[in-house]
Amino acid sequence: MPLSSRHLLGLQGVPREDIQLILDTALTFREVLERPIKKVPTLQGKTVVNLFYENSTRTRISFELAEKRLSADSINFSVSTSSVSKGETLKDTIKNIEAMKVDMVVVRHAAAGTPLFLTKVCDSNIINAGDGIHEHPTQALLDMYSIREKLGRLDGLKVCIVGDIAHSRVALSNIYGLKTMGAKVSLCGPSTMIPRFIEDLGVDVITNIDEAIHENDVLNILRIQLERKAREYFPSIREYSKYFGITRDRLEKSGKDIVILHPGPINRGVEISSDVADGQQQIILNQVTNGVAVRMAVLYLLGTLN
Ligand code: CP
């Protein structure tokens, strides 16, 4: 069965069958990444534009590598070297790029809803690479892939997302995706960073981090987004680390073999200590490797729909 949509804007409302198909397809591409020649001809002749209006290391490089591994032609757009600096609008920018005959657009933008807007003004397949504080679907898909790879399943697993939920597109996509796949999702963080009515999405809120570690199989630790004024939501970084930081002492005290994820970039010593970030329980770099396979799967499934 093909995917039910020709775009990937978010995981809200995406059927279980679509997520399953993406994760299973990613498994076959993950094997390609282990070969001496890490390339397949699947998207030969297709052109993908990576339209990044916001900074990125992992997502941008991961998409670019995924496109190259699939033999697609890949074009990178960044605001600082484009005519956006001369005042060109997003609509004019995308219409001009499309006039050059592209097939797919991967977009990251600080404004929530930008990928949806692009679906209204252009014909290409649109993939959301993170829009404001809305969604980051490929991050959640690679998180789910990595959890499934480590623990063998998603159904029935208990996953806690820790930190700045209010400003996190990663949190929202993880909530939608994990719940669709049958996981039990909880949130833990300062009450100022937990949106009101979030429980309406079918998640539990845990206020004590030690309880969250005790209760769950997986912790997905979010970055404290200092550039989005996260500092205004708690008294000090030291206080945040004391009450919500994941440290070796805290994990050892719990005695639980909990699996640790972090989407990156990491604030070492803030939401996660270095010994945990580099320790035995984390799968952070596996997430990064799996991200290429997951993005290959998304590009392949959307790119061969037309
Ligand atoms: N996880 C993530 O989206 O990282 P980047 O901002 O570096 O792409």
Side-chain angles (χ1 to χ4, degrees):
M1 287 291 285
L3 289 178
S4 60
S5 169
R6 59 183 298 270
H7 307 292
L8 180 65
L9 306 182
L11 294 187
Q12 184 177 21
V14 172
R16 185 185 177 108
E17 295 72 29
D18 281 16
I19 294 177
Q20 193 73 50
L21 178 62
I22 294 169
L23 300 184
D24 291 347
T25 307
L27 194 61
T28 65
F29 286 127
R30 183 67 186 79
E31 182 271 318
V32 171
L33 300 181
E34 297 302 325
R35 295 181 192 167
I37 297 172
K38 303 170 182 59
K39 208 171 173 91
V40 287
T42 321
L43 286 188
Q44 210 160 38
K46 296 276 184 187
T47 304
V48 188
V49 176
N50 301 311
L51 198 65
F52 276 69
Y53 276 75
E54 219 190 44
N55 291 344
S56 167
T57 297
R58 277 147 293 272
T59 313
R60 189 178 57 76
I61 293 175
S62 183
F63 266 112
E64 189 180 346
L65 264 178
E67 291 148 18
K68 287 178 168 26
R69 304 286 190 231
L70 292 169
S71 305
D73 294 316
S74 181
I75 310 293
N76 289 314
F77 168 97
S78 71
V79 170
S80 59
T81 54
S82 76
S83 290
V84 172
S85 58
K86 301 174 199 163
E88 191 163 36
T89 65
L90 174 63
K91 183 175 176 182
D92 284 334
T93 301
I94 194 65
K95 295 301 273 183
N96 278 270
I97 291 173
E98 260 206 327
M100 297 181 224
K101 306 294 177 197
V102 306
D103 301 293
M104 307 176 85
V105 176
V106 176
V107 61
R108 170 170 286 194
H109 202 288
T114 298
L116 176 64
F117 170 75
L118 293 185
T119 65
K120 314 280 184 205
V121 295
C122 58
D123 299 323
S124 307
N125 305 100
I126 306 298
I127 301 174
N128 182 2
D131 62 329
I133 59 170
H134 176 224
E135 284 221 42
H136 191 351
T138 57
Q139 179 66 48
L141 287 164
L142 75 87
D143 291 345
M144 286 190 278
Y145 181 99
S146 303
I147 295 168
R148 194 180 74 163
E149 180 182 66
K150 178 74 181 174
L151 297 175
R153 68 192 167 100
L154 292 167
D155 202 9
L157 273 186
K158 291 193 268 182
V159 180
C160 183
I161 306 169
V162 182
D164 183 2
I165 312 298
H167 298 99
S168 175
R169 53 198 178 204
V170 175
L172 210 48
S173 288
N174 262 279
I175 292 170
Y176 292 134
L178 283 164
K179 284 198 59 65
T180 300
M181 298 310 286
K184 185 168 165 30
V185 182
S186 58
L187 310 173
C188 183
S191 55
T192 47
M193 293 181 140
I194 307 277
R196 290 166 75 192
F197 310 118
I198 192 84
E199 282 135 312
D200 292 352
L201 296 181
V203 296
D204 293 330
V205 174
I206 305 174
T207 48
N208 181 292
I209 190 64
D210 296 308
E211 189 188 327
I213 294 169
H214 182 72
E215 292 294 318
N216 283 280
D217 305 303
V218 177
L219 289 187
N220 197 346
I221 303 166
L222 302 176
R223 181 172 66 91
I224 292 303
Q225 301 192 39
L226 299 168
E227 80 281 11
R228 291 194 212 267
K229 298 195 167 46
R231 271 283 288 101
E232 293 172 7
Y233 292 82
F234 45 81
S236 68
I237 298 275
R238 212 167 71 148
E239 191 140 336
Y240 181 87
S241 301
K242 181 174 171 202
Y243 287 102
F244 295 100
I246 306 301
T247 61
R248 169 69 32 215
D249 276 356
R250 199 155 240 157
L251 292 179
E252 279 176 358
K253 207 167 67 179
S254 82
K256 265 202 95 169
D257 195 18
I258 198 163
V259 175
I260 305 285
L261 284 83
H262 192 307
I266 291 170
N267 292 311
R268 287 176 183 264
V270 181
E271 70 269 2
I272 186 168
S273 65
S274 269
D275 49 11
V276 175
D278 302 325
Q280 295 297 314
Q281 286 169 255
Q282 58 79 26
I283 54 167
I284 297 169
L285 292 180
N286 303 43
Q287 289 173 263
V288 177
T289 307
N290 293 335
V292 178
V294 165
R295 289 174 176 124
M296 286 172 80
V298 170
L299 288 160
Y300 161 69
L301 290 166
L302 293 178
T304 52
L305 259 183
N306 301 328

